[in-house]
Amino acid sequence: SADLAMYHSKEHGRDQLYFFEQQMQQQLRQRQKLEHELKLALTEQQFSLYYQPKVNSVRQLAGYEALIRWHHPEQGMVPPDLFIPLAESSGLIIDIGTWVLKTACLQIKYFVDQGARLAIAVNVSQRQLVQKDFVDTVQQIIKDTGIQANLLELEITESMLHDDLEATRQKLLALSDIGVTFSLDDFGTGYSSLSYLKNLPIHVLKIDQSFVKEFLIEKTDRAIVLTIIAMAETLGLMVVAEGVEQQQQFEELAEMGCALFQGYLFGKPAPLPELMSKKINLVDAKQ
Ligand code: C2E
Ligand code: MG
Ligand code: MG
Ligand code: MG
């Protein structure tokens, strides 16, 4: 019967292995399906950009961040956190990223034609930044759309600065030279190395929303927020608080010296800025 027990456990193990294989197969198929659909999404024009306002301490509009949305024919809206990683691992992010840049620059052009000099921030992926022709691509889009380069802001993250820092530095410098500005997104969540801030043309720090979320009650988060604001001030950088949802967060952050604010309190990302219908005071964030 000891043999029998062993037989059963082996059998059981085999069943389990079979089950896991089935699961992995299914996950792989789902991934391949989504990747295939993602490929089609660009040609089928299923992507759009949403825009979220950034405001200054007196709630004047200071610019927008462009955030991609995928309107999947069956699944409806797929959030970027679900498909951007797949776009990155499959390499599709290169074409998608170029589309995002073009679309955002056309929107900048549209604003300017309406008499509003508004900057738009665009999120850039690691995969895009490491492309040899990244600088050329951005420059070409700026040229084709005829916008002023200083109205385009590129958001990168600290984690993108790990490999080949010198090549990255050269790219940021080349674009910075023509007026493009750079922000460090989700600041404080990566390896916040001060040498990045010293050696790279970074103009803006975006305090990650995880700190903003809790700083009213968490002492540590408050200390981190204060430190980032103080550091930005010392280094002459602009600072943006992300994920501001409550009036009290806004007021205290402003008191702490934060310059710009972004979050549901001021507006969720929306298909097209209702700029022309609302009467909004414009400020130049790049002053
Ligand atoms: P992110 O660049 O840090 O963008 C901020 C995210 O926080 C956005 O989520 C925005 O909708 C959300 N958010 C803004 N205010 C609030 C708030 O008050 N409360 C809360 N809970 N959330 C708020 P979203 O649009 O889902 O984008 C998620 C991430 O996907 C972005 O984080 C960015 O890393 C990435 N992403 C979005 N669009 C693009 C794109 O065009 N290209 C690339 N490479 N990545 C993108
Ligand atoms: Mg961002
Ligand atoms: Mg962020
Ligand atoms: Mg993020």
Side-chain angles (χ1 to χ4, degrees), residues 65-67 121-124 155-157 185-186 206 242 262:
E65 176 175 2
L67 295 154
V122 169
N123 293 281
V124 169
E155 295 195 1
I156 59 174
T157 58
D185 202 357
D186 308 336
K206 296 191 79 175
E242 292 192 90
Q262 188 180 343

Side-chain angles (χ1 to χ4, degrees), residues 114-265:
Q114 304 285 315
R117 283 188 81 256
L118 276 170
I120 293 182
V122 169
N123 293 281
V124 169
S125 282
Q126 162 89 334
R127 270 302 268 279
Q128 285 174 274
L129 189 61
V130 299
Q131 295 299 303
K132 282 226 164 59
D133 61 357
F134 177 72
V135 172
D136 291 338
T137 303
V138 176
Q139 266 177 325
Q140 192 62 47
I141 292 170
I142 289 170
K143 201 170 153 227
D144 290 347
T145 51
I147 63 155
Q148 281 174 19
N150 66 359
L151 294 178
L152 178 65
E153 188 177 317
L154 299 181
E155 295 195 1
I156 59 174
T157 58
E158 298 150 275
S159 59
M160 294 164 63
L161 304 172
H162 289 158
D163 358 285
D164 217 350
L165 188 58
E166 187 46 33
T168 303
R169 198 176 80 92
Q170 293 304 330
K171 288 175 189 170
L172 300 199
L173 281 174
L175 287 171
S176 183
D177 275 349
I178 64 165
V180 175
T181 56
F182 288 93
S183 352
L184 276 183
D185 202 357
D186 308 336
F187 190 74
T189 60
Y191 295 91
S192 313
S193 163
L194 297 182
S195 64
Y196 295 152
L197 299 178
K198 186 183 164 213
N199 298 320
L200 298 171
I202 302 290
H203 310 87
V204 182
L205 300 182
K206 296 191 79 175
I207 305 172
D208 189 65
Q209 39 185 291
S210 60
F211 306 120
V212 173
K213 201 175 173 185
E214 307 266 282
F215 85 93
L216 289 179
I217 39 173
E218 292 285 342
K219 281 214 172 71
T220 316
D221 290 338
R222 178 179 292 268
I224 292 171
V225 170
L226 275 167
T227 304
I228 297 175
I229 293 171
M231 194 168 69
E233 185 158 63
T234 310
L235 296 168
L237 303 174
M238 197 59 134
V239 57
V240 183
E242 292 192 90
V244 181
E245 295 184 355
Q246 304 163 20
Q247 179 66 24
Q248 199 189 340
Q249 291 171 333
F250 172 47
E251 283 170 14
E252 292 202 21
L253 285 163
E255 213 154 284
M256 288 156 99
C258 186
L260 296 175
F261 311 84
Q262 188 180 343
Y264 295 168
L265 181 66

